[in-house]
């Protein structure tokens, strides 16, 4: 979490810190040599956050040996090689935390290359040694040895380090409450519930251990045109660290990547804004503040504008969790290359001038992070490209010169996007299509045309306002920055603003639930600019120490009061708001938006009254209040979404999570038996293609979802035909029918109508070794025992071996 000194925390704007070299940091080694105690104290925030996470993992029944192995894997297989390479690419050191945070992200990129070589050549058995390919040259080449022990680091203040560490600890506690404590590593009963997507994601990680590129494990040999780099990372954790994949998925990977995301957010915000305290603010905005709404419980069915950042980022969308650090690092190096490009003679005129530029290595890092982001999350690069295009246009208009730096960066990112679209995704759209306002038009739908033009216009405007409140309120900090600069922004600020606009704009233009990830990609840009603007506004307020304390306590009180109100009175408030507009039964197209809009209106009215009282008190009773009401209002606006995190914790205790379906322990037991008694190239046959919300306890229920993934997930083997719902070709075609009905019939006949010819064909032509029968789905034919050897039976599940 960085290093510490005794310097008092400050937001450190250009006016407040000009000429004060040590306001936010101090050169490492200045003054008297540090004692052993001082050296320990420098790393105490990081050690405290790590120790707290270890305690949470242990409380969630994670073995200390798994934690130790994963720590070793992260240090040896990601952090060490990545940090060495990053140091060789950046010009001068800034802080140790920056080297480690950027180094860890570079390590994720290098890991992809190592995986492709190892799996492509069948060298998985020596995967633990791959970092030597980096370590040895950095030991042997004289010019590279200096990167082992660089000098000249600046030490961040103790307050800054503890703030970042506290953010990591707070988010770790959230994950423990909503995910770790509620989900066993492996199902431990026949009634264990698990979110329906997790077995699918686990199956991709198992596939990544043996296939480069990945294939679709639920249909053996089917190509997987998908953003699958996340699952390479999981596979490398297994291959390098020798850790069971379910332990990585259900315990270790999510909190580790989220912590990295917070750290890289903090250092990028510091580097681009020149304000150290923009780092913790940006990290809080993206990881601890969610969407503004007045709904409780807010389960999947009541999500109004797609995927919310808080629940899905944490554990259900592993690709988002993995891609977040990559995208933030990409924003950081692109933004660094743009720093000062609009100042006189190319000089950096902002507060970030105190931070050494990365230099030409920023372009190499841009290429690395763009390539890794390309198939980490498909929404990352389009938003980045849009941000660069917007910045280029605005700089061109302002200077009447072609901004060649932006053009070059755009070319690098565009090349990565072309690579992803053509090579990785093969132009598959996963069901996304251009339908302007397709994701929100249902809220203003009026098929019977019963509204007047004025009323319909008001409903449309209210829908847009509800969307901006829901996802964009935490970006309010950019408003004072843009206002005071009168749109005379620096290139890096145009870039951040362009990305912040492009994310939600893409959601409004591209139809489909997955389009909401464009919004979340834009959030990464927006929170940086918001933290930048908040820092400037905070500096202008010039609060005393007492004033800062009052603001902090007041903000916490506001969040807790708002949380309490939503938790206890959301239902009553929705009823009241519905009655107020004549929608008592909640049947209007916009009914779902009414609670949040009404709550926002109520808070705005309260703010207006408080603002008038504040103005009056400042003029007559308390002069110190003058010109400080704005920072209070801005702080409250940014914090208005914070209850979503706390409410999600409470909801996890009171309400089952939508989409958590039974995953019986007996099914997983059979799959893991197969894993232990088969080779990676063996193919399986199963009669289960659907996942049942009621564990097949409803006689006569038909197979309707094709969401069975558990056999391929826990066996780490490909299945001839399992669940096909998430296959790229069917997602694009929006079809639910398996594309090869003859193969599906052959697969199912092996269980229900077996013959020697059918089993022989499966064995010889399709390399099937085991037939795995789920008797809850349907009992096997008695003939199967006479044609194949039964090798496993736990009552519910039976496994037959073909020879």
């Amino acid at each position: 979490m960085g290093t510490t000194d005794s310097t008092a925390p400050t937001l450190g704007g250009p006016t407040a810190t000009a000429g004060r070299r040590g306001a936010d940091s101090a050169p490492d080694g200045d003054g008297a040599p540090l004692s052993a105690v001082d050296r320990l104290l420098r790393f105490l925030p990081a050690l405290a956050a790590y120790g707290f996470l270890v305690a949470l993992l242990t409380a969630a029944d994670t073995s200390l040996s798994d934690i130790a192995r994963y720590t070793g894997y992260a240090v040896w297989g990601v952090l060490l090689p990545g940090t060495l390479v990053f140091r060789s690419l950046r010009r001068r050191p800034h802080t140790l935390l920056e080297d480690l945070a950027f180094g860890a992200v570079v390590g994720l990129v290098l890991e992809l290359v190592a995986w492709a070589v190892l799996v492509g050549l069948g060298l998985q058995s020596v995967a633990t040694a791959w970092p030597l390919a980096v370590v040895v040259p950095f030991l042997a080449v004289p010019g590279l040895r200096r990167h082992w022990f660089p000098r000249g680091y600046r030490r961040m203040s103790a307050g800054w380090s503890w703030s970042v560490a506290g953010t990591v600890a707070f988010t770790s506690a959230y994950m423990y409450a909503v995910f770790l404590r509620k989900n066993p590593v492996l199902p431990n009963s026949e009634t264990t519930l698990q979110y329906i997507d997790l077995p699918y994601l686990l199956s991709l990680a198992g596939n990544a251990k043996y296939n480069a590129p990945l294939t679709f494990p639920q249909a053996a040999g089917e190509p997987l045109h998908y953003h699958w780099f996340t699952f390479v990372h999981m596979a490398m954790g297994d291959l390098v660290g020798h850790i069971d994949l379910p332990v990585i998925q259900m315990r270790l990977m999510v909190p580790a990547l989220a912590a990295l995301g917070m750290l890289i957010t903090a250092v990028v915000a510091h580097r681009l804004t020149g304000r150290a305290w923009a780092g913790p603010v940006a990290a809080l905005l993206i990881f601890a503040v969610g969407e503004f709404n007045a709904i409780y419980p807010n389960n999947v069915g009541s999500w109004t504008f797609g995927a919310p950042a808080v629940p899905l980022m944490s554990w259900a969308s592993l690709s988002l969790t993995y891609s977040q650090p990559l995208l933030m690092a990409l924003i950081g190096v692109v933004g660094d290359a743009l720093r000062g490009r609009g100042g006189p003679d190319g000089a950096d005129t902002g507060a970030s001038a105190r931070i050494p530029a990365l230099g030409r290595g920023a372009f190499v890092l841009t290429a690395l992070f763009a390539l890794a982001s390309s198939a980490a999350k498909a929404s990352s690069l389009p938003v980045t490209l849009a941000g660069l295009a917007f910045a280029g246009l605005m700089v061109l208009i302002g200077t009447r010169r072609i901004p060649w730096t932006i053009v070059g960066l755009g070319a690098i990112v565009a090349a990565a996007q072309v690579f992803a679209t053509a090579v990785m995704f093969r132009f598959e759209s996963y069901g996304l299509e251009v339908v302007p306002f397709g994701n929100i038009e249902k809220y203003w739908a009026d098929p019977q045309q019963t509204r007047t033009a004025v009323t319909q216009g008001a409903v449309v405007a209210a829908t847009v306002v509800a969307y901006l409140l829901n996802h964009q309120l935490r970006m309010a900090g950019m408003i004072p920055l843009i206002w005071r600069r009168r749109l005379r922004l620096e290139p890096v600020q145009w870039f951040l603003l362009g990305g912040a606009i492009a994310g939600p704009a893409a959601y409004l233009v591209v139809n489909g639930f997955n389009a909401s990830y464009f919004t979340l990609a834009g959030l990464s840009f927006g929170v940086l600019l918001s933290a930048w603007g908040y820092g400037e506004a905070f500096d202008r307020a010039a609060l005393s120490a007492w004033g800062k304390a009052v603001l902090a306590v007041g903000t916490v009180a506001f969040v807790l009061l708002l949380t309490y109100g939503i938790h206890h009175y959301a239902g009553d408030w929705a009823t009241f708001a519905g009655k107020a507009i004549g929608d008592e039964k909640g049947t209007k197209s916009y009914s779902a938006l009414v609670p949040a809009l009404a709550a926002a209106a109520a808070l705005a009215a309260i703010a207006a009254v408080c603002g008038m009282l504040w103005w009056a008190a400042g003029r007559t009773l308390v002069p110190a209040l003058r010109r400080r009401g704005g920072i209070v209002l801005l702080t409250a606006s940014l914090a208005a979404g914070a209850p979503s995190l706390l409410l999600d914790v409470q909801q996890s205790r009171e309400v089952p999570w939508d989409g958590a379906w039974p995953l019986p322990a007996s099914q997983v037991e059979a799959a893991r038996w197969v894993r232990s008694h088969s080779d990676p190239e063996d193919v399986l046959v199963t009669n289960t293609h659907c996942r049942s919300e009621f564990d097949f306890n409803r006689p006569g229920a038909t197979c309707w979802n094709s969401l069975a993934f558990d056999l391929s997930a826990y066996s780490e083997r490909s299945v001839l035909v399992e669940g096909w719902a998430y296959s790229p070709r069917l997602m694009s075609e929006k079809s639910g029918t398996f594309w090869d009905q003859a193969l599906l019939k052959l697969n199912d006949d092996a269980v229900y109508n077996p013959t020697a010819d059918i089993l022989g064909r499966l064995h010889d032509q399709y390399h099937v070794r085991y037939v795995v029968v789920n008797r809850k789905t349907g009992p096997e034919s008695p003939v199967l025992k006479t044609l194949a050897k039964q090798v496993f039976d736990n009552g519910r599940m039976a496994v037959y071996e073909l020879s």
Side-chain angles (χ1 to χ4, degrees), residues 358-391:
L358 294 173
R360 295 184 182 275
F363 292 88
V364 179
L365 290 167
T366 296
L368 292 176
F369 295 147
L371 285 171
S373 295
S374 67
K377 195 70 177 175
S379 54
S380 295
L381 293 190
V383 174
T384 305
L385 268 176
L388 282 167
F390 183 77

Side-chain angles (χ1 to χ4, degrees), residues 557-583:
F558 169 70
V559 170
L560 293 178
L561 184 62
L562 192 57
T563 302
Y564 180 87
I566 296 173
H567 178 247
H568 285 82
Y569 302 109
D572 296 336
W573 176 253
T575 301
F576 170 80
K579 288 181 178 179
I581 63 169
D583 185 29

